[in-house]
Coordinates of all heavy atoms in Angstrom, one line a residue:
V1 N 0.8 -1.2 0.0 CA 0.0 0.0 0.0 C 0.9 1.2 0.0 O 0.6 2.2 -0.7 CB -1.0 0.0 1.2 CG1 -1.7 1.3 1.4 CG2 -2.0 -1.1 1.1
F2 N 1.9 1.3 0.8 CA 2.8 2.4 0.9 C 3.5 2.6 -0.5 O 3.7 3.8 -0.9 CB 3.8 2.3 2.0 CG 3.2 2.4 3.4 CD1 3.5 1.4 4.3 CD2 2.4 3.5 3.7 CE1 2.9 1.5 5.6 CE2 1.9 3.5 5.0 CZ 2.1 2.5 5.9
S3 N 3.8 1.6 -1.1 CA 4.5 1.7 -2.4 C 3.6 2.3 -3.4 O 4.0 3.2 -4.2 CB 5.0 0.3 -2.9 OG 5.7 0.4 -4.1
V4 N 2.3 1.9 -3.4 CA 1.3 2.5 -4.4 C 1.1 4.0 -4.1 O 1.0 4.8 -5.0 CB 0.0 1.7 -4.3 CG1 -1.1 2.3 -5.1 CG2 0.3 0.3 -4.8
V5 N 1.0 4.3 -2.8 CA 0.7 5.7 -2.4 C 1.9 6.6 -2.8 O 1.7 7.7 -3.4 CB 0.5 5.8 -0.9 CG1 0.5 7.3 -0.4 CG2 -0.8 5.2 -0.5
N6 N 3.1 6.1 -2.6 CA 4.3 6.8 -3.0 C 4.4 7.0 -4.5 O 4.7 8.0 -5.1 CB 5.6 6.2 -2.5 CG 5.8 6.5 -1.1 OD1 5.9 7.7 -0.7 ND2 6.1 5.5 -0.2
A7 N 4.0 5.9 -5.3 CA 4.0 6.0 -6.7 C 3.0 7.0 -7.2 O 3.2 7.8 -8.1 CB 3.8 4.6 -7.3
A8 N 1.8 7.0 -6.6 CA 0.8 8.0 -7.0 C 1.2 9.4 -6.7 O 1.0 10.3 -7.5 CB -0.5 7.7 -6.2
L9 N 1.9 9.6 -5.6 CA 2.4 10.9 -5.3 C 3.4 11.4 -6.3 O 3.5 12.5 -6.7 CB 3.0 11.0 -3.8 CG 3.6 12.3 -3.3 CD1 2.5 13.4 -3.4 CD2 4.1 12.1 -1.9
F10 N 4.3 10.5 -6.7 CA 5.3 10.8 -7.7 C 4.6 11.2 -9.0 O 5.0 12.1 -9.7 CB 6.2 9.6 -8.0 CG 7.3 9.8 -9.0 CD1 8.3 10.6 -8.8 CD2 7.1 9.2 -10.3 CE1 9.3 10.9 -9.7 CE2 8.1 9.4 -11.2 CZ 9.2 10.2 -11.0
V11 N 3.6 10.4 -9.4 CA 2.8 10.7 -10.7 C 2.2 12.1 -10.6 O 2.2 12.9 -11.5 CB 1.8 9.6 -11.0 CG1 0.8 10.1 -12.1 CG2 2.5 8.3 -11.3
L12 N 1.5 12.4 -9.4 CA 0.9 13.7 -9.2 C 1.9 14.8 -9.3 O 1.7 15.9 -9.8 CB 0.2 13.7 -7.9 CG -1.1 12.9 -7.9 CD1 -1.7 12.9 -6.4 CD2 -2.1 13.5 -8.8
K13 N 3.1 14.5 -8.7 CA 4.1 15.6 -8.7 C 4.6 15.9 -10.1 O 5.0 17.0 -10.4 CB 5.3 15.0 -7.9 CG 6.3 16.0 -7.5 CD 5.9 16.8 -6.3 CE 7.0 17.6 -5.8 NZ 6.8 19.0 -5.8
R14 N 4.7 14.9 -11.0 CA 5.2 15.0 -12.4 C 4.1 15.5 -13.4 O 4.4 15.8 -14.5 CB 5.8 13.7 -12.8 CG 6.9 13.2 -11.9 CD 8.2 13.8 -12.1 NE 8.6 13.5 -13.4 CZ 9.6 14.1 -14.0 NH1 10.4 15.0 -13.3 NH2 10.0 13.8 -15.2
R15 N 2.8 15.5 -13.0 CA 1.8 15.8 -13.9 C 1.8 17.2 -14.3 O 2.0 18.1 -13.5 CB 0.4 15.4 -13.2 CG -0.8 15.5 -14.2 CD -2.0 14.9 -13.6 NE -2.4 15.5 -12.4 CZ -3.5 15.1 -11.7 NH1 -4.3 14.2 -12.2 NH2 -3.8 15.7 -10.6
D16 N 1.6 17.5 -15.6 CA 1.5 18.8 -16.2 C 0.3 19.6 -15.6 O -0.8 19.0 -15.5 CB 1.5 18.8 -17.7 CG 2.8 18.3 -18.3 OD1 3.8 18.4 -17.6 OD2 2.7 17.8 -19.4
G17 N 0.5 20.8 -15.3 CA -0.6 21.7 -14.9 C -1.0 21.5 -13.4 O -1.9 22.1 -12.9
E18 N -0.2 20.7 -12.7 CA -0.5 20.5 -11.2 C -0.1 21.8 -10.5 O 1.0 22.2 -10.5 CB 0.2 19.3 -10.7 CG -0.3 18.8 -9.3 CD -1.7 18.3 -9.3 OE1 -2.2 17.8 -10.3 OE2 -2.3 18.5 -8.3
Q19 N -1.1 22.3 -9.7 CA -0.8 23.5 -8.9 C 0.1 23.2 -7.7 O -0.2 22.2 -7.0 CB -2.1 24.2 -8.5 CG -3.0 24.6 -9.6 CD -2.4 25.8 -10.3 OE1 -1.7 26.6 -9.8 NE2 -2.6 25.8 -11.6
P20 N 1.1 24.0 -7.4 CA 1.9 23.7 -6.2 C 1.0 24.0 -5.0 O 0.2 24.9 -4.9 CB 3.0 24.7 -6.3 CG 2.5 25.8 -7.2 CD 1.5 25.2 -8.2
G21 N 1.3 23.2 -4.0 CA 0.6 23.3 -2.7 C 1.4 23.9 -1.6 O 2.5 24.4 -1.9
E22 N 0.9 23.9 -0.4 CA 1.7 24.5 0.7 C 2.8 23.6 1.1 O 3.8 24.1 1.6 CB 0.7 24.7 1.9 CG -0.3 25.8 1.6 CD -1.2 26.1 2.8 OE1 -0.7 25.8 3.9 OE2 -2.3 26.6 2.6
F23 N 2.6 22.3 0.9 CA 3.7 21.3 1.3 C 4.3 20.7 0.0 O 3.6 20.0 -0.7 CB 3.1 20.2 2.1 CG 4.0 19.2 2.5 CD1 5.0 19.4 3.5 CD2 4.0 17.9 2.0 CE1 5.9 18.5 3.9 CE2 4.9 16.9 2.3 CZ 5.9 17.2 3.3
E24 N 5.5 21.1 -0.3 CA 6.2 20.6 -1.5 C 7.4 19.8 -1.0 O 8.1 20.1 -0.1 CB 6.6 21.8 -2.3 CG 5.5 22.5 -3.0 CD 4.8 21.7 -4.0 OE1 5.5 20.9 -4.8 OE2 3.6 21.7 -4.1
L25 N 7.7 18.7 -1.8 CA 8.8 17.9 -1.5 C 9.5 17.5 -2.9 O 8.8 17.6 -3.9 CB 8.5 16.7 -0.7 CG 7.5 15.7 -1.4 CD1 8.0 14.3 -1.2 CD2 6.1 15.9 -0.8
P26 N 10.7 17.2 -2.9 CA 11.4 16.7 -4.1 C 10.7 15.5 -4.7 O 10.3 14.6 -4.0 CB 12.8 16.4 -3.7 CG 13.0 17.0 -2.4 CD 11.6 17.1 -1.7
A27 N 10.6 15.4 -6.0 CA 10.0 14.3 -6.7 C 10.7 13.0 -6.4 O 10.1 11.9 -6.5 CB 9.9 14.5 -8.2
A28 N 12.0 13.0 -6.1 CA 12.8 11.8 -5.9 C 12.4 11.1 -4.6 O 12.5 9.9 -4.4 CB 14.3 12.2 -5.8
L29 N 11.8 11.9 -3.6 CA 11.5 11.3 -2.3 C 10.4 10.2 -2.4 O 10.5 9.1 -1.9 CB 11.1 12.4 -1.3 CG 11.1 12.0 0.1 CD1 12.5 11.6 0.6 CD2 10.7 13.2 0.9
P30 N 9.2 10.5 -3.1 CA 8.2 9.4 -3.2 C 8.7 8.3 -4.1 O 8.3 7.1 -3.8 CB 7.0 10.1 -3.8 CG 7.5 11.4 -4.3 CD 8.7 11.8 -3.6
L31 N 9.5 8.6 -5.0 CA 10.1 7.5 -5.9 C 11.0 6.6 -5.1 O 10.8 5.4 -5.2 CB 10.9 8.1 -7.1 CG 11.4 7.1 -8.1 CD1 10.3 6.4 -8.7 CD2 12.3 7.9 -9.1
L32 N 11.8 7.2 -4.3 CA 12.7 6.3 -3.4 C 11.8 5.6 -2.4 O 12.1 4.4 -2.1 CB 13.7 7.2 -2.7 CG 14.8 7.8 -3.6 CD1 15.7 8.7 -2.8 CD2 15.7 6.7 -4.2
G33 N 10.8 6.2 -1.8 CA 9.9 5.5 -0.9 C 9.2 4.3 -1.5 O 9.1 3.2 -0.9
S34 N 8.8 4.5 -2.8 CA 8.1 3.4 -3.5 C 9.1 2.2 -3.7 O 8.7 1.1 -3.5 CB 7.5 3.9 -4.8 OG 6.8 2.9 -5.5
V35 N 10.3 2.6 -4.2 CA 11.3 1.5 -4.4 C 11.6 0.8 -3.2 O 11.7 -0.4 -3.1 CB 12.5 2.1 -5.1 CG1 13.7 1.2 -5.2 CG2 12.2 2.6 -6.5
L36 N 11.8 1.5 -2.1 CA 12.2 0.9 -0.8 C 11.1 0.0 -0.3 O 11.4 -1.2 0.1 CB 12.4 2.0 0.3 CG 12.8 1.5 1.7 CD1 14.1 0.7 1.6 CD2 12.8 2.6 2.6
C37 N 9.8 0.4 -0.4 CA 8.7 -0.5 0.0 C 8.7 -1.8 -0.9 O 8.4 -2.9 -0.4 CB 7.4 0.2 -0.1 SG 7.2 1.5 1.2
L38 N 8.9 -1.6 -2.2 CA 8.9 -2.8 -3.0 C 10.1 -3.8 -2.7 O 10.0 -5.0 -2.7 CB 9.0 -2.4 -4.5 CG 7.7 -1.8 -5.1 CD1 8.0 -1.3 -6.5 CD2 6.6 -2.8 -5.1
V39 N 11.3 -3.2 -2.4 CA 12.4 -4.0 -2.0 C 12.1 -4.7 -0.7 O 12.4 -5.9 -0.6 CB 13.7 -3.1 -1.8 CG1 14.8 -3.9 -1.1 CG2 14.2 -2.6 -3.2
L40 N 11.5 -4.1 0.3 CA 11.1 -4.7 1.5 C 10.1 -5.9 1.3 O 10.2 -6.9 1.9 CB 10.5 -3.7 2.5 CG 11.5 -2.7 3.1 CD1 10.7 -1.7 3.9 CD2 12.5 -3.4 4.0
L41 N 9.2 -5.7 0.4 CA 8.2 -6.7 0.0 C 9.0 -7.9 -0.6 O 8.7 -9.1 -0.3 CB 7.2 -6.2 -0.9 CG 6.1 -7.2 -1.4 CD1 5.3 -7.7 -0.2 CD2 5.2 -6.6 -2.4
V42 N 9.9 -7.7 -1.5 CA 10.6 -8.7 -2.2 C 11.5 -9.5 -1.2 O 11.5 -10.8 -1.2 CB 11.5 -8.2 -3.3 CG1 12.5 -9.2 -3.9 CG2 10.6 -7.7 -4.5
V43 N 12.1 -8.8 -0.3 CA 12.9 -9.5 0.8 C 12.0 -10.4 1.6 O 12.4 -11.5 1.9 CB 13.7 -8.4 1.6 CG1 14.3 -9.1 2.9 CG2 14.8 -7.8 0.8
R44 N 10.9 -9.9 2.0 CA 10.0 -10.7 2.8 C 9.5 -11.9 2.1 O 9.4 -13.0 2.6 CB 8.8 -9.9 3.2 CG 7.9 -10.6 4.2 CD 6.8 -9.7 4.8 NE 6.2 -10.5 5.9 CZ 6.1 -10.0 7.1 NH1 6.5 -8.8 7.4 NH2 5.5 -10.7 8.0
L45 N 9.2 -11.8 0.8 CA 8.7 -12.9 0.0 C 9.9 -13.9 -0.2 O 9.7 -15.1 -0.2 CB 8.2 -12.5 -1.4 CG 6.9 -11.7 -1.3 CD1 6.5 -11.2 -2.7 CD2 5.8 -12.6 -0.7
A46 N 11.1 -13.4 -0.4 CA 12.3 -14.3 -0.6 C 12.6 -15.1 0.6 O 13.1 -16.2 0.6 CB 13.5 -13.4 -1.1
S47 N 12.3 -14.5 1.8 CA 12.6 -15.2 3.1 C 11.6 -16.4 3.3 O 11.7 -17.1 4.3 CB 12.6 -14.3 4.2 OG 11.3 -13.8 4.5
G48 N 10.5 -16.5 2.5 CA 9.5 -17.5 2.7 C 8.3 -17.1 3.5 O 7.4 -18.0 3.7
N49 N 8.3 -16.0 4.0 CA 7.2 -15.5 4.9 C 6.2 -14.8 4.0 O 6.3 -13.6 3.6 CB 7.7 -14.6 5.9 CG 6.6 -14.2 6.9 OD1 5.4 -14.6 6.8 ND2 7.0 -13.5 8.0
V50 N 5.1 -15.5 3.5 CA 4.2 -15.0 2.6 C 2.8 -14.7 3.2 O 1.9 -14.3 2.5 CB 4.0 -15.9 1.4 CG1 5.3 -16.1 0.6 CG2 3.5 -17.3 1.8
T51 N 2.7 -14.9 4.5 CA 1.3 -14.7 5.1 C 0.8 -13.3 5.0 O -0.3 -13.1 4.5 CB 1.4 -15.2 6.6 OG1 1.9 -16.5 6.7 CG2 0.0 -15.1 7.2
A52 N 1.6 -12.3 5.5 CA 1.2 -10.9 5.4 C 1.0 -10.4 4.0 O 0.0 -9.8 3.7 CB 2.2 -10.1 6.1
P53 N 1.9 -10.7 3.0 CA 1.6 -10.3 1.7 C 0.3 -10.9 1.1 O -0.4 -10.3 0.3 CB 2.9 -10.7 0.9 CG 3.9 -10.7 1.9 CD 3.3 -11.2 3.1
L54 N 0.0 -12.2 1.4 CA -1.2 -12.8 0.9 C -2.4 -12.2 1.5 O -3.4 -12.0 0.8 CB -1.2 -14.3 1.2 CG -0.3 -15.2 0.3 CD1 -0.3 -16.6 0.8 CD2 -0.7 -15.0 -1.1
I55 N -2.4 -11.8 2.8 CA -3.5 -11.1 3.4 C -3.7 -9.8 2.7 O -4.8 -9.4 2.4 CB -3.3 -10.9 4.9 CG1 -3.3 -12.3 5.6 CG2 -4.3 -10.0 5.5 CD1 -2.9 -12.3 7.1
A56 N -2.6 -9.0 2.5 CA -2.7 -7.7 1.8 C -3.2 -7.9 0.4 O -4.1 -7.1 0.0 CB -1.3 -7.1 1.8
L57 N -2.8 -8.9 -0.3 CA -3.3 -9.1 -1.7 C -4.8 -9.4 -1.7 O -5.5 -9.0 -2.5 CB -2.5 -10.2 -2.3 CG -2.8 -10.5 -3.8 CD1 -2.5 -9.3 -4.7 CD2 -2.0 -11.7 -4.3
T58 N -5.2 -10.2 -0.7 CA -6.6 -10.6 -0.6 C -7.4 -9.3 -0.3 O -8.5 -9.1 -1.0 CB -6.8 -11.6 0.5 OG1 -6.0 -12.8 0.2 CG2 -8.3 -12.0 0.6
L59 N -7.0 -8.5 0.6 CA -7.7 -7.3 0.9 C -7.8 -6.3 -0.3 O -8.8 -5.7 -0.6 CB -7.1 -6.6 2.1 CG -7.3 -7.3 3.5 CD1 -6.4 -6.6 4.5 CD2 -8.7 -7.2 3.9
I60 N -6.6 -6.1 -1.0 CA -6.6 -5.2 -2.1 C -7.5 -5.8 -3.2 O -8.2 -5.0 -3.9 CB -5.1 -5.0 -2.6 CG1 -4.4 -4.2 -1.6 CG2 -5.1 -4.4 -4.0 CD1 -2.9 -4.1 -1.8
S61 N -7.5 -7.1 -3.4 CA -8.4 -7.7 -4.5 C -9.8 -7.5 -4.1 O -10.6 -7.1 -5.0 CB -8.1 -9.2 -4.6 OG -6.8 -9.4 -5.0
G62 N -10.2 -7.6 -2.9 CA -11.6 -7.3 -2.5 C -12.0 -5.9 -2.7 O -13.1 -5.6 -3.1
I63 N -11.1 -5.0 -2.3 CA -11.3 -3.5 -2.5 C -11.5 -3.2 -4.0 O -12.4 -2.5 -4.4 CB -10.2 -2.7 -1.9 CG1 -10.3 -2.8 -0.4 CG2 -10.3 -1.2 -2.3 CD1 -9.1 -2.3 0.4
V64 N -10.6 -3.7 -4.8 CA -10.8 -3.5 -6.3 C -12.1 -4.1 -6.8 O -12.8 -3.5 -7.6 CB -9.5 -4.1 -7.0 CG1 -9.7 -4.1 -8.5 CG2 -8.3 -3.3 -6.7
G65 N -12.4 -5.3 -6.3 CA -13.7 -5.9 -6.8 C -14.9 -5.1 -6.4 O -15.8 -4.9 -7.2
L66 N -14.9 -4.6 -5.1 CA -16.0 -3.7 -4.7 C -16.0 -2.4 -5.5 O -17.1 -1.9 -5.9 CB -15.8 -3.4 -3.2 CG -16.2 -4.5 -2.3 CD1 -15.8 -4.1 -0.8 CD2 -17.6 -4.9 -2.4
Y67 N -14.9 -1.9 -5.9 CA -14.8 -0.7 -6.7 C -15.4 -0.9 -8.1 O -16.2 -0.1 -8.5 CB -13.4 -0.2 -6.8 CG -13.2 1.0 -7.8 CD1 -13.6 2.3 -7.4 CD2 -12.7 0.8 -9.1 CE1 -13.5 3.3 -8.3 CE2 -12.6 1.8 -9.9 CZ -13.0 3.1 -9.5 OH -12.9 4.2 -10.4
V68 N -15.1 -2.0 -8.7 CA -15.6 -2.3 -10.0 C -17.1 -2.5 -10.0 O -17.8 -2.0 -10.8 CB -14.9 -3.6 -10.6 CG1 -15.6 -4.1 -11.8 CG2 -13.4 -3.3 -10.9
V69 N -17.6 -3.2 -9.0 CA -19.0 -3.4 -8.8 C -19.8 -2.1 -8.6 O -20.8 -1.9 -9.2 CB -19.3 -4.4 -7.7 CG1 -20.8 -4.5 -7.3 CG2 -18.8 -5.8 -8.1
S70 N -19.2 -1.3 -7.7 CA -19.9 0.0 -7.4 C -19.8 0.9 -8.6 O -20.7 1.7 -8.9 CB -19.3 0.7 -6.2 OG -18.0 1.1 -6.4
K71 N -18.7 0.9 -9.4 CA -18.6 1.7 -10.6 C -19.6 1.3 -11.6 O -20.2 2.2 -12.3 CB -17.2 1.5 -11.1 CG -16.8 2.5 -12.2 CD -16.5 3.8 -11.7 CE -15.8 4.6 -12.8 NZ -15.7 6.0 -12.4
R72 N -19.8 0.0 -11.8 CA -20.9 -0.5 -12.8 C -22.3 -0.1 -12.3 O -23.1 0.3 -13.1 CB -20.8 -2.0 -12.9 CG -19.6 -2.4 -13.7 CD -19.6 -3.9 -13.9 NE -18.4 -4.3 -14.6 CZ -18.0 -5.6 -14.6 NH1 -18.7 -6.5 -14.0 NH2 -16.9 -5.9 -15.2
A73 N -22.5 -0.1 -11.0 CA -23.8 0.2 -10.5 C -24.1 1.7 -10.7 O -25.3 2.1 -11.0 CB -24.0 -0.1 -9.0
V74 N -23.1 2.5 -10.6 CA -23.3 4.0 -10.8 C -23.4 4.3 -12.2 O -24.2 5.2 -12.6 CB -22.1 4.8 -10.1 CG1 -22.1 6.2 -10.5 CG2 -22.1 4.6 -8.6
S75 N -22.7 3.7 -13.1 CA -22.7 4.0 -14.5 C -24.0 3.5 -15.2 O -24.3 4.0 -16.3 CB -21.5 3.4 -15.2 OG -21.5 2.0 -15.2
E76 N -24.6 2.5 -14.7 CA -25.9 2.0 -15.3 C -27.0 2.9 -15.0 O -27.2 3.2 -13.9 CB -26.2 0.6 -14.8 CG -25.2 -0.4 -15.3 CD -25.5 -1.8 -14.8 OE1 -26.5 -2.0 -14.0 OE2 -24.7 -2.8 -15.1
P77 N -27.8 3.4 -16.0 CA -28.9 4.2 -15.7 C -30.0 3.5 -15.0 O -30.3 2.3 -15.3 CB -29.4 4.7 -17.1 CG -28.8 3.7 -18.1 CD -27.6 3.1 -17.4
S78 N -30.7 4.1 -14.1 CA -31.8 3.5 -13.4 C -33.0 3.5 -14.3 O -33.3 4.4 -15.1 CB -32.1 4.2 -12.1 OG -32.4 5.6 -12.4
R79 N -33.8 2.4 -14.1 CA -35.0 2.3 -15.0 C -36.2 2.7 -14.4 O -36.6 2.8 -13.3 CB -35.1 0.8 -15.4 CG -33.9 0.4 -16.2 CD -34.1 -1.1 -16.5 NE -32.8 -1.5 -17.1 CZ -32.5 -2.7 -17.5 NH1 -33.4 -3.7 -17.2 NH2 -31.4 -3.0 -18.0

């Protein structure tokens, strides 16, 4: 989750036309945070401990599934 949040922050930071806010940071910081989180995930998986990543993957899959279902329900016109 932290890796995805950092990657999204990096994308927002690099997007054209984005207005500067009150809190600004170098674009390299979220990029490094994202890479570090991915490295920590790979190390955990390489050590054979897959319980926490599987729980996280299950939760993320459920959230994405709920998002898709709710998106379809909103986009379909009511009869």
Side-chain angles (χ1 to χ4, degrees):
V1 171
F2 291 127
S3 184
V4 172
V5 168
N6 279 308
L9 182 57
F10 179 74
V11 169
L12 288 175
K13 192 85 170 118
R14 305 278 299 169
R15 188 166 59 175
D16 291 335
E18 191 67 30
Q19 297 293 325
E22 292 183 26
F23 179 73
E24 290 293 320
L25 63 137
L29 197 60
L31 182 63
L32 289 173
S34 183
V35 169
L36 179 64
C37 289
L38 288 174
V39 167
L40 290 172
L41 179 63
V42 168
V43 167
R44 183 168 194 130
L45 291 174
S47 71
N49 188 353
V50 297
T51 304
L54 284 177
I55 291 170
L57 182 62
T58 303
L59 289 172
I60 291 171
S61 299
I63 291 167
V64 169
L66 287 173
Y67 174 76
V68 169
V69 168
S70 67
K71 189 78 168 171
R72 286 184 185 160
V74 170
S75 65
E76 292 178 358
S78 58
R79 296 178 187 174

